[in-house]
Structure formats: structure tokens, C-alpha cells
Amino acid sequence: MLPLKYLLSLSPIGAPSLESSRSPAPERLQLTGRALVIGSVAAASMAAGVVGASATAVRHGRPAGRRRLAREIARTVARLGPTFIKAAQVLGTRRDVVPAWLCDELSMLQDDVPPMTATQGRTALREAYGDELDEVFVTVEKAPTASGSIACVYRATLLDGGTVALKLRRPGIGPRMAADLALLRRGAALVARLPMFRGVPVREVIDNLCESVLGQIDLGREGRDLGRLREDLGSVPRVLVPRVHPEASRPAAIVMDFVPDLAVDTADRCPPALRRRFAASALTVVYQMLFINGFVHCDLHPGNLYFTRGGQVVVLDAGFSVQLSERMRDLFANFFLNMSIGRGERCAAIVLESAIGVSDDADVGAFTEGVTDLVARSYKLSAKEFSLIAFAGELFDLQRRYGVAASPELVFPLLSLLVVEGTVRSLDPDIDFQETAKPILNRALFGIR
């Protein structure tokens, strides 16, 4: 651990960007130049990918060719950098408008970037705090404890001696990602005019996608969202959301309580009874957000959801969170309640009521019949047999097949459940998602406690 004044004394005026040093500095980057770079990289990468996918389809059939093409698209996205990785991760949740074979690859894209170097860390500290740095912290550890494409987390000490976690945005990442998202919006406006996309809400989907990614850049906003989650989940037993220190936080930095000894494998080393308690608590967190508060953390993967040997569930990183309108919260709660009691026609009506687009040739009758059958089959399954991922996949397939584009406000809440299902099932394979929801649904819809 090094004193801050020493760290700053070594800091140069600039620092290497996250991408190659051959890329122009973000502040000098023009949209036209960036578009040329993106276009050339994508064209070169996809040209080879399409040839390879076509050859695979000839040898092994069309499904194998599609899988190969999906992998090539994912590789191309990864080459384009963090903005497109984040955007593709979100787009991979939209199975109502994107084919499942492509969603499977996009949703598995992971940020694969090294931690910030010491030089980049010093530059990031200067960008976030300027001359106020030594008025906030005594020390900041040199090496980050966690790393992502947008930010890294450091252990630090406040002036009052408190140990905190400092989430620090990478230098220059904000302008670069904002420029890339502007290009995505322009591209969506062009694509939306093509005849093949008539009736598909291309602009709405991309606008929502861009807002989701921008929310992850603005650490000031994320800090406020984390504070909101802490307040909303304060009544849920055995759940911990770290306290944010707003006076020490900045738009490019979040300062929060440091939670020691977090490890992704803690639950694996706990007895079965405690693992079942973890599963129930994690599921209750999601239901509380969905049905009671309406403010939803959509990215509760194992890197953002931890368990402690003391029995607590720890929720981190609120960068991908959405606020549901009262109308949509009520619709989603009704959808889940009707799903849990086998009323498929009502579930179909809710999806149609909340849809942001119904194509000119949409077959509403066939869609309703398909959803009714899906709910009837799912309702009869045992808790162990029922899979939210399988249910959602079939629902989105019906929407895509019959021309019904779901509202992001309906997709993202469902996403929060899909993300956490694997974790919950690994902790308690026998947990009943529908039965666990009913007490919270009754409280949300009917005031029954």
C-alpha cells in the first residue's frame, strides 16, 4: 500500500488507453474515423467467419453452420472492444427479437481485459479526484482486487481510518464508449428502414441497449442505484448491500464499505442446510425487487452475488439496474402469478398488452394458443423439472415466430430471474420458484402478509 502523494508524484499526463496504443486518444476521436475502424475490423473478421460457417454447414448441416456463425459473430464483437461486448451481452437477452442460436453465444461473452496497470490506476485516480485526492483517502492499494472492462476495484483507507472498496473507472473509457454507442444508434436508424425489419422495433431495442450500457459507465449513477438497492433490500433477512459513501464518491468512482473474505466458492464449502438458506434468500432478493420495489438488479451473476459463512447474501455492482413503472411492475407480477396457477391465456394477454411492437403480419391467435399451451405444460411440471430458462426460451421463440416484440420492461425483469436461476438451482435443486414467489406476489398484488 502506497501513500497517495507518492502515487500521484509518479503519474504522467496521459495513460495508455484500454485498447491498443495505435488507437487515437478518445478526446481526438471523431465518429467518422471510429466508424471506419469498426467497419474495417468487422468486415475483415466476418468475411472469414461467413466462409468458415458456410463450409461447416455444407459438411455438418445448417445447425452446425449457425453455431459456427454465432461463434464468429461473438469473436468479432470481442475484437471491437468493451462497448460492443457490453452491448452484445445485453442484446443476448433479447430472445424475442434475436435468434436463440445467436443469443446463446452473445450472452456468454465475457470481459477479457487485464487489470489496470499502476500507471493507468494513477491516471484514473487523478481523473476522478484531481487535487482532492489526499483530502479523501490516506492510502489506496496499488493492485486492484477485482477487474472489469469499465472499472477496477481497489482497497483503500479513508481519512477516518475506515477500510473501503474504491471502484474506479478506467481512464478515457467514458468518451470512447459514448462515441461507440452513438454509432450504434445511427446504425440502428439505418437498419430500421430496411424492408426486412419492418415491424421490428430496432430503434427501441438499441436505444434501450445503449441506456443499459451508459448506466454502467456512470459510476455516480451506479453509486446512487446501489444506495437505492441497500434501502429497498434492508427489510430482507440475511441480505447485505454495501453502504455507499457519497461524500467520497465521484462520477468516475464509487466508494463503499469493504466486505472482506468474499469468494465465489464459499457456498460450495457450506453444509446443505445453509446452502438451501442461501438459495431461498437469493430468490427472495429477486422477488422483492420485482414485485415489491420495482427497482431491479438485472445482473446477479456469481461475480455480483456472494455468500458468507455467516449466512449472508451479498449483492454488489448495480451498474445494470432498471426501474419498472408501476404499470409494468403490476403486469409482471400478474404474469408470474398467472403462470404459477396455469392461466396461460391471461399470460399471453399480458405480453400483448405490454408489447412495444406487433408486426403487420403477426398471428396473435397462434401466439395466444402457443403461450396457453406453454403455461399449461409448465404448470404441471414438478419443481425439479421446471426451468425458467427453458420457459423463457420458448416464450421468446413464440414472440419471434408470431411477430410480437416484448417491452424491455418485461424482458429485463425476466432476465434477472434467468441470471440467478443457475446459482439458485446449484444451491438447492429442489427449490420451487413458483411456490417461493406466491407469498411475495400476494403481498404485492393483494396486500396479504
Side-chain angles (χ1 to χ4, degrees):
M1 185 179 296
L2 300 175
L4 293 181
K5 290 184 178 179
Y6 174 75
L7 288 174
L8 285 177
S9 70
L10 301 178
S11 178
I13 298 300
S17 67
L18 183 60
E19 300 178 23
S20 167
S21 59
R22 291 175 292 180
S23 298
E27 60 271 22
R28 299 195 306 269
L29 190 64
Q30 300 297 320
L31 285 181
T32 302
R34 180 62 175 157
L36 290 172
V37 171
I38 291 169
S40 61
V41 171
S45 180
M46 284 308 302
V50 169
V51 171
S54 299
T56 299
V58 170
R59 293 194 201 97
H60 305 291
R62 292 182 64 184
R66 284 198 299 266
R67 289 193 296 272
R68 172 74 180 272
L69 179 60
R71 288 194 296 271
E72 295 300 336
I73 292 172
R75 289 192 185 104
T76 299
V77 169
R79 292 186 183 106
L80 293 177
T83 308
F84 293 90
I85 292 173
K86 292 292 183 185
Q89 288 169 344
V90 177
L91 190 62
T93 69
R94 296 305 307 267
R95 293 173 182 260
D96 55 320
V97 292
V98 178
W101 55 267
L102 181 54
C103 286
D104 290 340
E105 286 295 330
L106 296 182
S107 61
M108 289 190 295
L109 273 168
Q110 299 295 321
D111 302 330
D112 185 19
V113 295
M116 281 196 278
T117 65
T119 299
Q120 290 173 323
R122 292 191 293 269
T123 303
L125 282 169
R126 186 181 294 279
E127 285 187 2
Y129 290 96
D131 295 335
E132 300 177 327
L133 191 58
D134 58 358
E135 299 173 11
V136 180
F137 302 104
V138 177
T139 55
V140 175
E141 288 192 352
K142 186 176 181 181
T145 60
S147 177
S149 59
I150 291 175
C152 291
V153 179
Y154 296 80
R155 187 167 178 163
T157 306
L158 295 173
L159 294 184
D160 63 6
T163 301
V164 293
L166 167 62
K167 184 173 182 177
L168 196 60
R169 191 170 67 197
R170 289 178 180 268
I173 195 69
R176 173 64 57 88
M177 295 184 78
D180 286 349
L181 292 173
L183 288 172
L184 273 178
R185 282 193 164 105
R186 292 187 181 190
L190 294 174
V191 169
R193 298 176 184 175
L194 300 177
M196 70 180 70
F197 290 100
R198 186 174 296 127
V200 179
V202 175
R203 292 186 185 182
E204 291 86 349
V205 170
I206 296 301
D207 282 345
N208 192 269
L209 179 154
C210 290
E211 287 302 314
S212 299
V213 176
L214 282 171
Q216 298 179 56
I217 300 173
D218 185 353
L219 297 192
R221 171 179 161 182
E222 183 184 336
R224 294 188 294 273
D225 287 349
L226 200 62
R228 167 78 185 276
L229 279 177
R230 178 179 170 84
E231 181 180 347
D232 286 351
L233 299 177
S235 62
V236 182
R238 301 182 297 277
V239 174
L240 172 64
V241 180
R243 176 172 57 102
V244 175
H245 297 258
E247 71 286 348
S249 300
R250 298 292 186 272
I254 306 173
V255 178
M256 66 199 95
D257 286 347
F258 185 84
V259 183
D261 303 323
L262 292 182
V264 294
D265 63 345
T266 296
D268 297 337
R269 295 179 272 111
C270 291
L274 187 53
R275 288 169 59 83
R276 289 193 293 271
R277 186 191 301 174
F278 286 151
S281 294
L283 199 50
T284 300
V285 163
V286 179
Y287 289 152
Q288 177 80 14
M289 294 188 296
L290 290 174
F291 306 137
I292 303 296
N293 303 121
F295 186 67
V296 185
H297 189 311
C298 296
D299 199 21
L300 286 175
H301 60 73
N304 293 333
L305 186 68
Y306 289 87
F307 307 98
T308 71
R309 295 191 67 82
Q312 285 184 309
V313 175
V314 181
V315 177
L316 301 175
D317 195 344
F320 186 8
S321 300
V322 297
Q323 175 64 60
L324 304 183
S325 64
E326 283 297 313
R327 171 179 173 273
M328 193 56 69
R329 183 179 64 81
D330 183 69
L331 283 174
F332 188 78
N334 272 289
F335 177 89
F336 206 87
L337 178 64
N338 282 282
M339 181 186 75
S340 69
I341 59 178
R343 296 178 61 187
E345 286 191 19
R346 179 55 188 149
C347 289
I350 289 171
V351 175
L352 290 167
E353 184 179 348
S354 64
I356 59 171
V358 177
S359 64
D360 295 338
D361 59 349
D363 191 338
V364 173
F367 172 74
T368 300
E369 184 178 339
V371 174
T372 301
D373 174 67
L374 169 62
V375 171
R377 286 186 283 110
S378 301
Y379 173 64
K380 295 176 182 178
L381 295 175
S382 68
K384 184 174 287 189
E385 294 174 313
F386 175 73
S387 167
L388 273 169
I389 293 176
F391 179 91
E394 192 168 342
L395 175 63
F396 291 147
D397 182 62
L398 288 168
Q399 291 177 247
R400 191 171 57 253
R401 189 187 315 163
Y402 295 118
V404 178
S407 165
E409 274 200 286
L410 192 65
V411 172
F412 286 155
L414 192 54
L415 170 64
S416 67
L417 279 167
L418 300 184
V419 170
V420 83
E421 181 181 17
T423 300
V424 170
R425 290 287 190 200
S426 69
L427 294 167
D428 182 5
D430 296 320
I431 195 167
D432 192 322
F433 275 65
Q434 300 182 60
E435 283 300 316
T436 305
K438 284 180 180 178
I440 303 176
L441 284 168
N442 286 329
R443 182 152 53 99
L445 294 171
F446 312 115
I448 300 173
R449 296 183 179 273

